[in-house]
Amino acid sequence: MPLRFDQLDHKEFQDCTSVGMTEHEVIELAQAFRLYGFWSINLDTGLFLATPDVYRIFDMQSEDGRMNLVEFREHIHPDDLPILMECFERCSSQKQSYHMIYRVKRGADWKFVRTVGKFREKPGTSGEIVGITYEFFERLRTAAFADSDD
């Protein structure tokens, strides 16, 4: 599986307000019909925090948002784990961003997920890695609707 390291700096920020949307609406739409989790790893303490969708993606139980790294690793395909660990290492040591598509256990089978992460400076510390992880799903012609909560 090819591995690509990218810098996000060269990408132009798309200002959602230029089309009349709020940041909250962008996040709401991104999460509306797929699991889309957010996470951070403190490089000094190793503390790995994750939102509930990350736990759902990895079929793990969440108690307080602290991700158990040993259990997390057990859910990743053994062929993909070394590359994912390399992503974390390069991201933190070289202050880069990355994305990776890899396999995660789904019962007896495997599903594909994508993780996008970046190094973030954090004053007084070695920094942190922050990112998103979301599931890929079969490309089918699909329509889904959700009632408005308003």
Side-chain angles (χ1 to χ4, degrees):
M1 186 177 326
L3 179 62
R4 187 173 101 188
F5 287 88
D6 294 327
Q7 290 291 77
L8 294 177
D9 304 4
H10 71 280
K11 297 196 177 199
E12 183 179 330
F13 177 75
Q14 296 185 77
D15 182 7
C16 62
T17 62
S18 69
V19 295
M21 293 177 68
T22 66
E23 291 173 351
H24 183 270
E25 288 173 314
V26 171
I27 293 169
E28 180 183 38
L29 289 170
Q31 297 181 112
F33 296 104
R34 81 166 42 171
L35 296 177
Y36 207 96
F38 306 95
W39 52 267
S40 67
I41 302 173
N42 181 305
L43 296 178
D44 289 334
T45 65
L47 182 61
F48 187 169
L49 298 174
T51 60
D53 273 359
V54 174
Y55 288 91
R56 290 183 193 99
I57 289 167
F58 286 88
D59 194 26
M60 295 172 61
Q61 297 298 312
S62 169
E63 294 182 21
D64 62 1
R66 294 172 185 242
M67 179 69 75
N68 178 324
L69 286 173
V70 173
E71 184 180 0
F72 168 78
R73 292 171 56 125
E74 291 171 359
H75 291 261
I76 298 170
H77 194 285
D79 293 341
D80 298 342
L81 184 59
I83 300 168
L84 183 60
M85 293 298 109
E86 180 184 345
C87 287
F88 287 149
E89 175 63 30
R90 269 183 81 172
C91 183
S92 61
S93 66
Q94 298 178 19
K95 300 180 176 161
Q96 293 182 311
S97 58
Y98 75 94
H99 77 96
M100 182 178 175
I101 297 168
Y102 55 100
R103 294 162 287 182
V104 172
K105 281 185 188 175
R106 179 191 310 161
D109 294 322
W110 299 94
K111 63 182 173 184
F112 283 96
V113 301
R114 180 176 190 226
T115 290
V116 180
K118 73 173 193 169
F119 175 84
R120 181 167 72 182
E121 296 283 347
K122 191 172 181 183
T125 73
S126 300
E128 60 188 354
I129 302 174
V130 296
I132 60 171
T133 298
Y134 60 91
E135 287 187 318
F136 277 18
F137 50 87
E138 292 182 44
R139 295 176 186 216
L140 301 172
R141 213 175 268 201
T142 306
F145 299 92
D147 293 329
S148 175
D149 290 339
D150 299 333

